[in-house]
Amino acid sequence: MSSNGEEVDLYEILGISKTASQSEVKKAYHKAALQHHPDKVPEDQREAADIKFKDVSKAYEILKDEEKRHLYDTHGMAAFDPSRGGPGGMGGVDLDDILAQMFGGGMPSGFGEGPRSGKPRRGPDEEQKYQVTLEELYKGKTVKFASTKNVICSHCKGTGGKEKAKSQTCERCKGQGVTIGLRSVGPGMVTQERMVCDPCSGTGKLYKDKDKCKKCKGKRTTSEKKVLEIYIPRGAREGEKIVLEGEADQKPDQIPGDIVFTLVEEDHEVFQRAGDDLSAALSITLAEALTGFSKVVLKHLDGRGISITHPPGKVLQPDQILKVEGEGMPHKKTDMKGDLFLVVKIEFPENGWLEDPATFAQLKKILPANEEPKIEATEVDEVEFDSDADIEEFGAGSGDPRAGGGWADEDDEEGGEAQCAQHPLTVSKMVSAKKHVPIVKKRTKRFHRHQSDTYKCLDASWRKPKGIDNRVRRRFKGQMVMPSIGFGSNKKTRHLTPSGHKAFLVNNVSDVDLLLMHNKTFAAEIAHAVSSRKRIEIVARAKQLGVKVTNAKARVTTEV
């Protein structure tokens, strides 16, 4: 923006303060653009007006964008100057930079010696993760923190010695800055490797103790504490990177690298995020589901209450989805927002909530009557039932692929897919395995291994044998064939369980979510080291997603 390379003040160009709002920036730009437009000034002043008009346009282009404005407030115009390492600079790929990363220095010996490029190498970046809450991603956040880094010594300007002091060539590296060492790569195998010279720290020069810089003690860099600031924009997502350019450790003859923060989103108690959309549970009573309601159903991430009015006469079903447009996560750089999906959870009354028989009769008259035809039978038996049974007990231990919860969705190929499409967030029934080759158990009889004194006290089928014992290591007719025990009739079904699923080891609740779209192929198998409390959470989540669990009852009976 300036021909002589001097730093300019964009706020001064537009005539506004640094705390000016976006509307004030826009008004100041329109006023300055109208004042300095080349067509609005005399002909002898057009050349100067043209330069001023370009500066005004450039200033507005940076200050109207929140991210660019933040970069300018932090780093000045250097953030937009390619010649000074700004983001706009494309730059060429330096072969010496690549070799420096591969060999730890410049061009290794043997590749030819030539004049080094005058372009300094770029230092490494410092990467670290930064935990953020969903509220911070919704509203945006500016974080200030103190950073301690190495900077070039201001007293010796990075030379490591006193002014006018003469350095000596390092005797170990002969002034090359690197040495050749041996590194073990295997038993009896070594390889040559270029390493930075320790005495001279890669400079190839040394100073006597009396000639070393008093401030840095010859290290060429000193430690400095600096307050840095990062800006997390509204609507940022997990995995996005926030870069502080040139704020990594400084080294002489190197361009400092960047500090890179990778956003890690923390789990939220109420909301789940997918892209720019949010989902949450909508808990209502049975009376509200039948008669309607008007209330604040949840508190949003910015503290606002979300109120919903559901009219009487429209009955809400369990797991029904209500979509609220424009109440999701904000889109970056716009005023638009995603959608909020509410999953209806109906709280049914507990046993014994009503004891008056007359009230029961009135309630029965109000509710719709059963219109299905009455079942007629010549003989009727009155039986007792267990109201706390588990569907996993259905066909348990039988080896039938329809055992457990698999029977509930056997007609998925005909009409089950439409049901899944209507309820993408919650599935309440177990899903049976997809069609596969019939699983045949190769051996049904008990296995009897060779008897010997070594194993005479063990059960005959205690393990699959790996060979025969010394006592029977002899030739004889009618030698028994070693059996092949196990499930599977071919390669496709060799690793399938009796239900037709492949076992997938899970250690936490998030591992179960991976099986949502693969619940016809894989079944969750809880790892052995998982605690009883976490097992209960895993089983509950698996029931919500319709994922079959092979060992759902293991260790769960323990008191938690």
Side-chain angles (χ1 to χ4, degrees):
M1 292 179 62
S2 182
S3 59
N4 56 6
E6 297 180 357
E7 191 70 25
V8 295
D9 189 349
L10 301 185
Y11 296 101
E12 184 179 349
I13 292 176
L14 294 181
I16 56 176
S17 63
K18 291 187 177 182
T19 59
S21 62
Q22 289 296 327
S23 60
E24 292 175 345
V25 172
K26 190 174 182 180
K27 290 179 181 178
Y29 165 69
H30 288 162
K31 181 179 179 181
L34 187 63
Q35 180 182 356
H36 301 288
H37 197 281
D39 297 338
K40 302 292 184 180
V41 297
E43 187 174 353
D44 57 339
Q45 300 178 8
R46 285 186 180 179
E47 185 176 353
D50 185 59
I51 297 175
K52 187 67 175 179
F53 182 77
K54 290 180 179 179
D55 290 347
V56 170
S57 301
K58 186 65 175 179
Y60 177 66
E61 181 183 349
I62 294 175
L63 296 181
K64 73 176 181 179
D65 189 286
E66 292 185 2
E67 292 187 2
K68 291 182 179 179
R69 183 175 180 177
H70 177 74
L71 285 175
Y72 171 74
D73 293 340
T74 308
H75 305 286
M77 289 305 298
F80 308 95
D81 188 354
S83 63
R84 291 189 279 177
M90 300 299 293
V93 178
D94 190 358
L95 177 61
D96 196 61
D97 291 343
I98 301 176
L99 294 175
Q101 297 177 4
M102 295 173 59
F103 300 101
M107 183 79 74
S109 60
F111 282 80
E113 299 292 341
R116 292 288 302 274
S117 172
K119 177 184 176 182
R121 293 195 302 270
R122 188 177 184 276
D125 295 337
E126 298 179 8
E127 299 187 3
Q128 51 186 301
K129 296 182 179 179
Y130 186 78
Q131 298 276 349
V132 288
T133 63
L134 199 57
E135 287 86 354
E136 293 171 346
L137 294 177
Y138 184 87
K139 296 182 290 186
K141 183 180 181 183
T142 300
V143 183
K144 292 184 178 181
F145 62 96
S147 173
T148 303
K149 66 176 183 178
N150 294 330
V151 296
I152 296 175
C153 178
S154 59
H155 190 267
C156 64
K157 307 301 180 182
T159 62
K162 295 180 180 178
E163 188 179 359
K164 297 182 181 182
K166 293 183 178 180
S167 61
Q168 299 177 348
T169 303
C170 178
E171 296 181 357
R172 183 173 181 180
C173 65
K174 308 302 181 184
Q176 297 296 319
V178 292
T179 57
I180 305 296
L182 299 178
R183 182 171 64 91
S184 176
V185 294
M189 300 176 63
V190 294
T191 183
Q192 288 187 347
E193 187 179 42
R194 291 171 60 91
M195 298 180 293
V196 178
C197 181
D198 289 334
C200 65
S201 301
T203 62
K205 298 179 181 180
L206 287 175
Y207 286 93
K208 295 180 180 180
D209 291 341
K210 65 176 183 177
D211 292 334
K212 289 183 178 180
C213 175
K214 294 183 179 180
K215 185 174 183 180
C216 65
K217 308 299 181 183
K219 295 181 181 180
R220 305 196 297 169
T221 58
T222 57
S223 180
E224 180 184 82
K225 180 178 267 189
K226 182 179 180 181
V227 177
L228 299 178
E229 180 179 297
I230 61 174
Y231 172 65
I232 303 173
R234 298 170 61 247
R237 300 186 183 183
E238 182 174 11
E240 290 190 6
K241 297 182 183 298
I242 298 178
V243 181
L244 296 180
E245 298 181 354
E247 295 296 345
D249 289 339
Q250 297 180 4
K251 292 183 180 180
D253 304 324
Q254 279 191 4
I255 299 175
D258 305 332
I259 299 180
V260 182
F261 292 95
T262 302
L263 299 182
V264 178
E265 180 182 317
E266 297 178 356
D267 293 335
H268 199 270
E269 297 180 355
V270 178
F271 295 96
Q272 289 81 39
R273 181 183 184 181
D276 293 324
D277 295 334
L278 295 173
S279 69
L282 173 59
S283 298
I284 58 175
T285 63
L286 179 60
E288 291 174 335
L290 297 176
T291 61
F293 60 89
S294 178
K295 66 176 184 178
V296 177
V297 294
L298 56 82
K299 190 176 181 180
H300 214 305
L301 296 171
D302 57 355
R304 293 180 297 114
I306 302 300
S307 177
I308 288 181
T309 300
H310 192 269
K314 290 187 176 181
V315 179
L316 289 176
Q317 304 290 338
D319 297 330
Q320 184 175 340
I321 308 299
L322 304 182
K323 178 181 176 181
V324 183
E325 295 184 357
E327 288 297 342
M329 295 294 293
H331 295 187
K332 294 178 64 175
K333 300 183 180 180
T334 65
D335 295 332
M336 299 178 61
K337 293 183 179 180
D339 300 329
L340 173 62
F341 294 83
L342 300 176
V343 185
V344 177
K345 302 295 182 183
I346 300 179
E347 300 175 359
F348 286 85
E350 298 180 357
N351 294 333
W353 68 281
L354 194 60
E355 298 180 357
D356 187 9
T359 307
F360 274 116
Q362 294 177 2
L363 183 61
K364 190 174 182 179
K365 291 180 180 180
I366 297 174
L367 295 177
N370 187 5
E371 299 179 356
E372 295 183 1
K374 187 176 181 181
I375 300 175
E376 297 182 0
T378 57
E379 184 178 351
V380 178
D381 289 339
E382 187 172 351
V383 298
E384 296 181 355
F385 60 91
D386 182 8
S387 60
D388 297 325
D390 191 349
I391 191 61
E392 292 296 330
E393 300 176 1
F394 172 69
S398 63
D400 195 316
R402 298 169 294 180
W407 63 273
D409 283 334
E410 283 185 343
D411 57 346
D412 273 353
E413 294 185 359
E414 299 177 1
E417 293 296 331
Q419 180 183 2
C420 184
Q422 295 175 3
H423 303 285
L425 298 178
T426 306
V427 180
S428 58
K429 297 181 180 179
M430 299 296 176
V431 179
S432 60
K434 65 180 182 180
K435 298 294 183 180
H436 54 80
V437 179
I439 301 176
V440 180
K441 192 173 182 181
K442 290 184 177 180
R443 184 180 178 88
T444 57
K445 298 181 180 179
R446 285 172 61 86
F447 166 69
H448 294 276
R449 63 172 285 117
H450 296 292
Q451 297 299 317
S452 67
D453 294 339
T454 306
Y455 299 106
K456 63 182 180 179
C457 297
L458 297 175
D459 186 79
S461 60
W462 72 285
R463 71 177 178 90
K464 179 180 179 180
K466 302 298 182 184
I468 59 178
D469 302 325
N470 290 332
R471 294 297 183 92
V472 293
R473 193 180 295 278
R474 64 183 186 273
R475 293 183 180 179
F476 62 92
K477 293 183 178 180
Q479 182 175 359
M480 296 175 61
V481 179
M482 303 297 285
S484 178
I485 301 177
F487 293 103
S489 57
N490 53 27
K491 292 183 179 180
K492 292 184 178 180
T493 60
R494 182 175 300 169
H495 305 290
L496 297 184
T497 61
S499 63
H501 295 85
K502 293 181 182 179
F504 179 80
L505 200 66
V506 298
N507 293 276
N508 48 53
V509 177
S510 60
D511 290 346
V512 182
D513 296 338
L514 300 176
L515 301 180
L516 174 60
M517 304 302 295
H518 306 280
N519 50 10
K520 289 189 177 183
T521 308
F522 292 92
E525 181 175 332
I526 305 177
H528 175 74
V530 177
S531 64
S532 300
R533 186 183 303 275
K534 188 175 290 186
R535 282 175 180 265
I536 296 176
E537 298 176 357
I538 292 175
V539 172
R541 182 58 176 168
K543 287 184 177 180
Q544 292 177 355
L545 302 180
V547 176
K548 183 176 179 60
V549 181
T550 60
N551 54 347
K553 294 187 176 181
R555 290 181 62 183
V556 177
T557 56
T558 307
E559 182 177 356
V560 295

